[in-house]
Structures are given as C-alpha cells and as structure tokens.
C-alpha cells in the first residue's frame, strides 16, 4: 500500500512553450494529461528570463543551438505545470514524443502539433531527478497543491 501510494505521488514538469501558447494549444495539451488520469498540482503562465532558461537547459549550454533555444523560449509566455501520478515522468515523455517532431509518431503531442525540432511545442522532464530539479527551479513549494482528486481510487491502484 505504501509503495503504490508513493509511486502515485511521482511528479513531473510539463511546459507549453511559446509556440504552443501562441498557437492556442494550451487547452488541448492540458486535456491530454487530464484524460490520461494525471493530477494537476501546479500551474502558472510566465515570461521566462534567460536566467531561468539557462538553468533549466544547463546541460545544453555547449550546444550550437543554445542561444537560439533561449531566444525561442523567451519569445513569449510559457505555461508551466506540475503533473502528478503513477509513472508520470515516463508516461509524459511517451505522450510528448521524440525531441525531433519528425520522429514523433502521430498520437503524440509533438507528432500531432509540430514539424521542426526548434519549435516543438512542449517540454517534459526526462527523469525523476530532472523533474525534481526543474520543479524546484520553476515553483515555490507553497504553489504546489496537495489535494485529493475525487476519482483517484479509480485511476490508481491502492
Ligand atoms: P527534450 O527533452 O525532448 O525537450 O530535448 P532536449 O533536452 O535534448 O533539448 C531541449 C530542447 O532544445 C528541445 O526540446 C528543442 O526545443 C531544443 N533542441 C534540441 N535539439 C535541437 C536542435 O538540434 N536544434 C534546435 N534548434 N533546437 C534543438
Ligand atoms: Mg530535455
């Protein structure tokens, strides 16, 4: 019991990037996580600074596209969310699809809504450790809500 409850508390950071916001895809992207059975525990719209983006994408610092990535990600508001649920990190990566939308199958967010790697609509943490770091970077603890979703005894095994 403890174990499945703890697994059900796994969290990940999902962000609708500026292209997704401009193209009015926020609702459809949120809908996919809701309908899968995950629980929204934090949400905000922000104009991201290069400072927070440099930290968020720190591992890509040496890539040739790093500066253009920061320009893209700060070109307009982003919608940053924390989603919670069983296996949510891995499941979200599958729902989002490969980094390059050309490789992302139809049915994934990137496969359905994007064509180029530089405008791929959505971010999802790639590991539980990465998720923890990203959540701490973007959210203060008080802005993440612990709440009981009325259908959770039917969406997770307890
Ligand atoms: P993700 O975890 O699937 O988002 O992929 P990465 O962590 O490898 O890269 C972060 C983001 O950098 C991607 O989502 C893209 O927006 C961008 N990116 C990755 N590779 C490329 C590239 O080759 N060219 C450009 N322009 N952007 C890239
Ligand atoms: Mg990544």
């Amino acid at each position: 019991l403890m174990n499945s409850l703890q697994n059900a508390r796994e969290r990940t950071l999902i962000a609708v990037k500026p292209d997704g916001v401009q193209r009015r895809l926020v609702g459809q992207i949120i809908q996919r996580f809701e309908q899968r059975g995950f629980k929204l525990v934090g949400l905000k719209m922000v104009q991201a600074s290069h400072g927070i983006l440099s930290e968020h994408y720190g591992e890509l610092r040496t890539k040739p596209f790093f500066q253009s990535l920061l320009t893209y990600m700060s070109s307009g508001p982003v919608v940053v969310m924390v989603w919670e649920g069983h296996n949510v990190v891995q499941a979200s990566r599958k729902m989002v699809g490969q980094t390059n939308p050309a490789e992302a199958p139809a049915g994934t967010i990137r496969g359905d809504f994007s064509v180029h790697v530089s405008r791929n609509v959505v971010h999802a943490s790639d590991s539980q450790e990465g998720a923890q770091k990203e959540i701490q970077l973007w959210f203060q603890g008080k802005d993440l809500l612990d709440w009981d979703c009325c259908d959770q005894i039917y969406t997770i095994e307890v």
Side-chain angles (χ1 to χ4, degrees), residues 49-60:
S49 66
H50 280 217
I52 196 167
L53 292 168
S54 300
E55 209 163 317
H56 177 81
Y57 283 129
E59 288 173 2
L60 302 175

Side-chain angles (χ1 to χ4, degrees), residues 9-53:
R9 299 288 308 273
E10 185 175 315
R11 290 176 171 182
T12 196
L13 188 96
I14 303 295
V16 183
K17 297 180 175 183
D19 50 335
V21 175
Q22 295 288 345
R23 294 173 56 206
R24 305 171 212 271
L25 297 174
V26 173
Q28 292 188 69
I29 289 169
I30 288 176
Q31 180 172 30
R32 290 179 182 225
F33 289 91
E34 283 192 328
Q35 75 188 12
R36 184 74 187 266
F38 294 126
K39 179 163 73 176
L40 184 62
V41 297
L43 172 85
K44 64 179 180 182
M45 189 178 205
V46 290
Q47 172 63 56
S49 66
H50 280 217
I52 196 167
L53 292 168

Side-chain angles (χ1 to χ4, degrees), residues 88-154:
V88 68
V89 174
Q90 193 189 9
S92 299
R93 291 292 290 192
K94 288 190 175 161
M95 291 164 68
V96 163
Q98 276 88 339
T99 304
N100 184 350
E103 289 158 20
T108 64
I109 296 169
R110 286 170 173 163
D112 287 349
F113 297 126
S114 62
V115 292
H116 196 271
V117 69
S118 66
R119 299 288 185 267
N120 60 1
V121 170
V122 67
H123 167 80
S125 308
D126 68 1
S127 65
Q128 291 191 42
E129 303 70 49
Q132 276 183 14
K133 279 191 206 156
E134 292 173 4
I135 290 166
Q136 280 179 29
L137 177 65
W138 290 92
F139 284 92
Q140 295 190 268
K142 69 173 174 57
D143 294 325
L144 300 175
L145 302 190
D146 269 316
W147 61 289
D148 291 318
C149 194
C150 63
D151 74 358
Q152 67 194 11
I153 64 169
Y154 299 105

